[in-house]
Amino acid sequence: MPTTRETVLAALHARLQPLAALTLRDEVLPERIPAAGLIILRDGQPGEPEVTLSPLRHHYQHKVELEVVVQAGAGRASAFDDLIAAIGAALEADRTLGGLCDWVEPEAPASVDLPVEGAATLKAAVITVVLHYTTTGPLA
């Protein structure tokens, strides 16, 4: 039986799958970026939980990262903005990931342009997403 942590992360990954961009989880950056863009979900760290007693519960604010990359030549900025908006819409459509989280909260991205020798420049950002969820223990 998977842990609450893994169940929540798998649900977030599944939530991003319908987007046009290729969505990976904890993979290395591929050599070629798909035309629709790329999203890599990094599992991050759950951090120190707040603990309540009777019944014992651990309340996490787990920070994960979405690495978002596009390489679309002249339309790169527009493609990047469209992908960021699609991620936002996907998360806003179900802020509880089907009831698995208390709340899912993305933070604003800070984008950068990354030059690639002999190829079009990459436009990339890391979006931190905070997953608020509760478990019965740190290993549950």
Side-chain angles (χ1 to χ4, degrees):
M1 182 171 174
T3 62
T4 301
R5 175 186 176 277
E6 178 57 29
T7 303
V8 168
L9 291 170
L12 177 59
H13 186 245
R15 189 86 187 113
L16 299 172
Q17 287 297 316
L19 300 178
L22 174 64
T23 303
L24 305 173
R25 182 169 168 203
D26 282 328
E27 298 286 336
V28 297
L29 185 67
E31 288 185 26
R32 297 188 189 275
I33 305 300
L38 173 71
I39 302 168
I40 302 175
L41 169 61
R42 302 285 179 204
D43 288 358
Q45 298 295 322
E48 289 294 320
E50 287 188 31
V51 178
T52 57
L53 304 173
S54 191
L56 179 64
R57 296 289 183 262
H58 292 74
H59 307 280
Y60 287 96
Q61 292 184 23
H62 186 148
K63 291 186 177 185
V64 300
E65 293 181 338
L66 302 177
E67 294 177 6
V68 181
V69 184
V70 295
Q71 184 178 25
R76 184 179 67 245
S78 177
F80 181 79
D81 190 56
D82 291 346
L83 181 53
I84 296 294
I87 292 168
L91 296 177
E92 287 174 17
D94 184 3
R95 293 281 190 150
T96 66
L97 298 176
L100 297 172
C101 280
D102 294 325
W103 194 251
V104 175
E105 185 65 38
E107 296 178 358
S111 63
V112 296
D113 291 319
L114 303 171
V116 178
E117 189 174 328
T121 300
L122 299 175
K123 188 158 188 83
V126 173
I127 301 172
T128 299
V129 179
V130 183
L131 306 169
H132 299 263
Y133 60 88
T134 300
T135 68
T136 56
L139 302 178

